[in-house]
Amino acid sequence: MTSLLTPDTPVESVPAPARQTPPTAVERFRPQARRRLVRADFLGALGWLSGVAAVTLWLADGGATGFSSLAGTMTALGIVAGLIGMDLVLLMLLLAARIPFIDNTIGHDRALEIHKKLGKPALYLLLAHGLFIAIGYGAAEGLDPISESVSLWVNVPDMWLAFVSMALFIAVVVTSLVAVRRKFPYEFWYAVHLLTYAAVATAIPHQFSVGGLFAEGTWQRWYWLAFCIATGAALLFYRVYQPLAASFRHQLTVSRVVRVAPDVFSIEMTGRHLERLAGSGGRFFFWRFLAAGHWWQAHPFSLSAEPVLAMSAAQKSARQGKLRITVRNLGDGSARLAKINPGTKVAIEGPYGMFSTAARTRNKVVMIGAGVGITPLRSLLESTPFEPGQATVLLRGHDESELFLGQEIMSLCQARGVTLFYLTGPRSGGNHAWLPQSAAAAGFTLSSYAPHIADADVYVCGPTPWAASVIRDVQWAGVPAEQLHYERFDW
Ligand SMILES: Cc1cc2nc3c(=O)[nH]c(=O)nc-3n(C[C@H](O)[C@H](O)[C@H](O)COP(=O)(O)OP(=O)(O)OC[C@H]3O[C@@H](n4cnc5c(N)ncnc54)[C@H](O)[C@@H]3O)c2cc1C
């Protein structure tokens, strides 16, 4: 069933809402949702446990006995702050390592959100570590904190590396603050961010060469070493080896670039073994086009079509298939991509994100997209399972020319029995700013289009302020947090 609301359709004649399907006896995605919640709890518990372990290391070494004097108290606080700070840094690295278990449980966005949130506390703890140690050691030796710091730098093995590490951590955290970050190009921010690895690498030697806490042969030393090595190994495997292996396995090559609208184009690619990416509809990859002027930038773009094995027998036997992304020219890099030549090789990292069937919790589904945010909905609509009558799609644009891939989506909706609304026209103000003025003035809300929304998974993708307004309405409509899936296109 396909219904349309176009600018020519008076809003009073909004088609009857989607046929209400009776509650289905079996919610096929419930077990998957339950497993995901259990995995999320497990990850949360692991995070907290690692913090508890850091404090336990310190207690087991008699850390609490230092509180008998001022110098001892400062030193004890310094050590425990350093341990927890370093623990947070390792957790941050693991969250950014794109480990599938984490990505498929809480999603790439959420993992990076937690990563960002941990940044400041980690830095404060590491600063407190340096400060308290300088005061504590200094008080014990009758030196002021500055003279003590100089003495530590000069006399203690590997300590100068710890000072370098601290300077690097400060640089990374300061450039990550939103206000500062916006002033620099993404590549600059990214390059500075890579210094985190140098910061961690330079922080580690003094931990093993200075303290009795990690003395040779102690379990504390083994635990800490294992934690550091596991983090490094996860980063190497998932950030370096996996992307290289995926790029080599799939051998992606640009086959053609198709104009979708004046500033929007699709890049089609052929590749091998794409059946291994089945079900990735809605997810995103980092794409690196291996051509002059492009190879040094990796862009995140979502699939706008589910990967397919190509249809001819010869292509099937060669396991050849097709992939597609749709790109809006929003900056220098994306503008240049419009001119990419067929035959260009493409390296990929991914698929990432939870904007896919993997996030489903309910049989019913509502997809709401605007602008280029419509394009991942196109591939999700193609790939995610539902019965006819159980899905609703709302596409928002200023006019129909902004409903990118709208014709393809309409065909898919017709074929799969989806209720489709085109919402066009100038935006309204007030509470439902995402709706066209005419619809909001006539009293329509999200529930007018998707009456079953509280019992559906809701996927939202579009410009950030627009999406924020949709998400408010989704929440007002009584949709629980675990049923809301939102893909952000900004960084
Ligand atoms: C998960 C996700 C999925 C996306 N899917 C699509 C899509 O399907 N179609 C589409 O048109 N746009 C999509 N975007 C937005 C798109 O990545 C940016 O518009 C594009 O990278 C801008 O590059 P630029 O060089 O033209 O712009 P600039 O603003 O000049 O960007 C400079 C650099 O920043 C990088 N960059 C910009 N935004 C991000 C980001 N969010 N994360 C990491 N690096 C970034 C670019 O790759 C480029 O290297 C998506 C973004 C994200 C985060």
Side-chain angles (χ1 to χ4, degrees):
M1 182 171 73
T2 302
S3 318
L4 291 180
L5 177 64
T6 70
D8 309 324
T9 315
V11 279
E12 290 77 7
S13 70
V14 167
R19 183 162 36 92
Q20 287 272 39
T21 43
T24 322
V26 181
E27 282 282 358
R28 61 183 291 194
F29 295 103
R30 279 252 163 85
Q32 144 173 318
R34 249 196 311 269
R35 280 197 299 274
R36 204 154 69 79
L37 283 180
V38 170
R39 290 204 312 263
D41 286 347
F42 173 70
L43 280 177
L46 269 189
W48 283 106
L49 261 180
S50 75
V52 171
V55 177
T56 309
L57 291 175
W58 169 75
L59 287 174
D61 190 52
T65 55
F67 288 113
S68 49
S69 65
L70 179 69
T73 302
M74 288 294 151
T75 305
L77 287 177
I79 291 173
V80 77
L83 285 169
I84 302 175
M86 188 66 189
D87 179 71
L88 293 187
V89 169
L90 294 176
L91 289 182
M92 286 173 70
L93 290 180
L94 286 172
L95 284 164
R98 302 190 189 145
I99 300 171
F101 186 79
I102 297 180
D103 201 42
N104 297 335
T105 300
I106 57 173
H108 182 75
D109 272 9
R110 178 92 186 105
L112 287 190
E113 216 174 277
I114 304 172
H115 167 96
K116 277 183 212 157
K117 276 196 184 142
L118 294 180
K120 272 200 221 165
L123 179 69
Y124 295 153
L125 283 162
L126 294 178
L127 284 172
H129 166 68
L131 187 69
F132 287 146
I133 289 281
I135 297 174
Y137 282 7
E141 292 170 22
L143 291 175
D144 63 78
I146 297 189
S147 312
E148 179 60 34
S149 302
V150 174
S151 154
L152 284 171
W153 175 297
V154 173
N155 300 319
V156 180
D158 301 328
M159 192 54 87
W160 68 274
L161 283 172
F163 283 90
V164 172
S165 164
M166 184 59 72
L168 293 174
F169 273 127
I170 292 172
V172 171
V173 175
V174 170
T175 52
S176 302
L177 301 178
V178 176
V180 181
R181 195 167 102 167
R182 294 269 169 258
K183 293 194 179 18
F184 295 107
Y186 175 84
E187 274 74 22
F188 174 81
W189 167 81
Y190 188 75
V192 175
H193 223 70
L194 288 181
L195 291 178
T196 312
Y197 302 118
V200 174
T202 46
I204 289 174
H206 85 283
Q207 297 166 16
F208 291 99
S209 56
V210 174
L213 181 63
F214 293 134
E216 295 271 0
T218 57
W219 66 267
Q220 288 97 321
R221 186 181 180 91
W222 285 114
Y223 168 78
W224 206 242
L225 259 181
F227 196 4
C228 294
I229 290 172
T231 305
L235 282 164
L236 276 178
F237 189 79
Y238 293 111
R239 298 292 303 257
V240 181
Y241 169 75
Q242 282 278 32
L244 286 174
S247 301
F248 189 74
R249 181 188 312 126
H250 296 303
Q251 307 266 329
L252 290 176
T253 309
V254 174
S255 52
R256 59 177 188 150
V257 178
V258 180
R259 184 70 55 188
V260 171
D263 62 344
V264 179
F265 52 93
S266 287
I267 302 180
E268 295 178 2
M269 290 159 264
T270 54
R272 291 168 55 79
H273 300 293
L274 297 189
E275 73 284 358
R276 293 180 67 165
L277 300 178
S280 299
R283 303 186 79 191
F284 72 96
F285 293 73
F286 287 92
W287 308 85
R288 192 181 292 278
F289 293 85
L290 304 177
H294 293 277
W295 62 268
W296 56 277
Q297 272 186 324
H299 297 272
F301 292 120
S302 309
L303 292 176
S304 63
E306 170 73 358
V308 285
L309 255 189
M311 294 325 281
S312 83
Q315 286 167 327
K316 264 189 186 159
S317 71
R319 309 210 71 78
Q320 279 243 317
K322 285 187 191 163
L323 271 187
R324 187 183 75 179
I325 55 174
T326 301
V327 176
R328 187 171 200 170
N329 163 1
L330 287 176
D332 292 350
S334 42
R336 278 199 309 275
L337 280 179
K339 300 191 189 83
I340 198 86
N341 288 324
T344 303
K345 297 279 177 211
V346 189
I348 50 167
E349 296 172 47
Y352 299 127
M354 291 292 292
F355 205 73
S356 69
T357 301
R360 292 279 300 276
T361 66
R362 292 287 188 279
N363 288 346
K364 295 184 186 121
V365 60
V366 176
M367 302 181 193
I368 312 171
V372 78
I374 290 173
T375 62
L377 295 181
R378 153 71 178 77
S379 58
L380 182 64
L381 179 65
E382 190 177 11
S383 58
T384 201
F386 52 78
E387 299 296 322
Q390 291 194 320
T392 304
V393 173
L394 284 85
L395 305 185
R396 177 76 173 101
H398 194 75
D399 53 43
E400 279 201 40
S401 70
E402 274 193 5
L403 305 178
F404 308 126
L405 310 179
Q407 285 302 318
E408 287 183 23
I409 292 180
M410 189 193 287
S411 305
L412 273 170
C413 287
Q414 275 163 341
R416 299 201 61 190
V418 176
T419 308
L420 169 67
F421 292 104
Y422 281 2
L423 303 175
T424 54
R427 71 179 75 158
S428 70
N431 281 339
H432 311 291
W434 67 278
L435 278 173
Q437 236 168 38
S438 51
F444 290 109
T445 62
L446 185 51
S447 305
S448 318
Y449 302 100
H452 55 264
I453 192 160
D455 187 31
D457 280 306
V458 184
Y459 289 84
V460 181
C461 193
T464 308
W466 175 88
S469 165
V470 178
I471 288 171
R472 256 195 317 277
D473 271 10
V474 170
Q475 287 160 344
W476 280 335
V479 177
E482 69 271 14
Q483 286 168 229
L484 172 63
H485 317 295
Y486 165 45
E487 188 72 284
R488 298 178 57 146
F489 277 9
D490 55 352
W491 61 281

